[in-house]
Amino acid sequence: DAGVTQSPTHLIKTRGQQVTLRCSPKSGHDTVSWYQQALGQGPQFIFQYYEEEERQRGNFPDRFSGHQFPNYSSELNVNALLLGDSALYLCASSLEWGNEQFFGPGTRLTVL
Amino acid sequence: AQRVTQPEKLLSVFKGAPVELKCNYSYSGSPELFWYVQYSRQRLQLLLRHISRESIKGFTADLNKGETSFHLKKPFAQEEDSAMYYCALRGGRGGANSKLTFGKGITLSVRP
């Protein structure tokens, strides 16, 4: 099991563009959470998906949206990119009632 | 609202010295507390959680509800302990309470 995988590894976009990041959870996991980690900060919760629905959301604008597929993989979409969206985006998977979240390596997004 | 505070950004010690990484939290209920670690060029991974009351790699952490603290301690630091450490809080074990709130992290540097 490769654990949680994310793609792409790095991404460069310009202001106003849209981006899609992808995550495949650890084998057997059904819940995916997304976090944004700005430079010098801890990860900040964006939202969580379970059974293909957004179950919980952090303090992020509607420009941030997501999706979970029947195979439990997930996408994070960000519209109308701002310079401040530059960050490392982390995906974490877990069991719905599990005790541990397993993190992926992250996608580094740079907005110019 | 839930909040995690790690008051220091950097702790530098010599090999064999004791280590204490501070973490304070704010939460109205009974939270679950975690320490995550990120070694150089590796992904974020769970180090230990308060409900397990375990020692991992010589590290321990005790939840002090009176002081709302969850400090991470190790009596004798090793060079391989050098990493970024994040304290995190979760409001519940599963369901809609399972999001993690992280502190800003602290860099531990252990010198030979």
Side-chain angles (χ1 to χ4, degrees), chain A residues 28-44:
Chain A
H29 285 182
D30 55 11
T31 303
V32 173
S33 302
W34 286 92
Y35 295 83
Q36 181 195 64
Q37 186 173 19
L39 200 60
Q41 303 293 316
Q44 189 173 358

Side-chain angles (χ1 to χ4, degrees), chain A residues 10 21 30-31 33 37 46 57 61 76 79 87 99 102 109:
Chain A
H10 297 89
L21 311 181
D30 55 11
T31 303
S33 302
Q37 186 173 19
I46 302 175
R57 189 178 183 91
L76 164 65
N79 294 321
N99 202 24
F102 290 81
L109 172 65

Side-chain angles (χ1 to χ4, degrees), chain B residues 78-107:
Chain B
Q78 303 299 315
E79 289 180 66
E80 56 266 29
D81 296 329
S82 295
M84 191 77 178
Y85 291 80
Y86 295 94
C87 182
L89 175 155
R90 185 170 69 188
R93 181 162 187 173
N97 289 323
S98 57
K99 74 170 187 178
L100 288 168
T101 297
F102 286 86
K104 291 186 177 182
I106 180 170
T107 299

Side-chain angles (χ1 to χ4, degrees), chain A residues 2-5 35 37 40-45 48 55-58 90 96-101 103-105, chain B residues 9 32 34 36 38 43-46 49 51-52 86 90 93-105:
Chain A
V4 179
T5 60
Y35 295 83
Q37 186 173 19
Q41 303 293 316
Q44 189 173 358
F45 178 76
Q48 184 181 83
R55 178 164 65 181
Q56 199 175 13
R57 189 178 183 91
L90 297 171
E96 203 261 339
W97 290 97
N99 202 24
E100 182 176 353
Q101 291 190 17
F103 283 82
Chain B
K9 288 188 175 182
E32 292 189 71
F34 304 84
Y36 278 81
Q38 188 166 27
R43 62 185 67 188
L44 197 60
Q45 59 186 286
L46 179 66
R49 48 201 156 197
I51 60 171
S52 299
Y86 295 94
R90 185 170 69 188
R93 181 162 187 173
N97 289 323
S98 57
K99 74 170 187 178
L100 288 168
T101 297
F102 286 86
K104 291 186 177 182

Side-chain angles (χ1 to χ4, degrees), chain A residues 21-85:
Chain A
L21 311 181
R22 296 177 175 81
C23 171
S24 291
K26 184 176 171 64
S27 178
H29 285 182
D30 55 11
T31 303
V32 173
S33 302
W34 286 92
Y35 295 83
Q36 181 195 64
Q37 186 173 19
L39 200 60
Q41 303 293 316
Q44 189 173 358
F45 178 76
I46 302 175
F47 43 53
Q48 184 181 83
Y49 277 84
Y50 172 69
E51 290 190 339
E52 302 180 48
E53 290 193 359
E54 182 183 294
R55 178 164 65 181
Q56 199 175 13
R57 189 178 183 91
N59 189 25
F60 279 80
D62 292 344
R63 298 186 297 109
F64 288 77
S65 63
H67 188 78
Q68 185 179 35
F69 299 93
N71 67 354
Y72 307 119
S73 66
S74 177
E75 288 182 350
L76 164 65
N77 300 292
V78 186
N79 294 321
L81 284 167
L82 303 174
L83 295 179
D85 295 331

Side-chain angles (χ1 to χ4, degrees), chain B residues 2 12 19 32 40 42 44 47 49 58 76 89 93 95 104-105 111:
Chain B
Q2 51 195 62
S12 183
V19 167
E32 292 189 71
S40 179
Q42 295 187 26
L44 197 60
L47 178 62
R49 48 201 156 197
F76 307 104
L89 175 155
R93 181 162 187 173
K104 291 186 177 182
R111 293 169 286 172

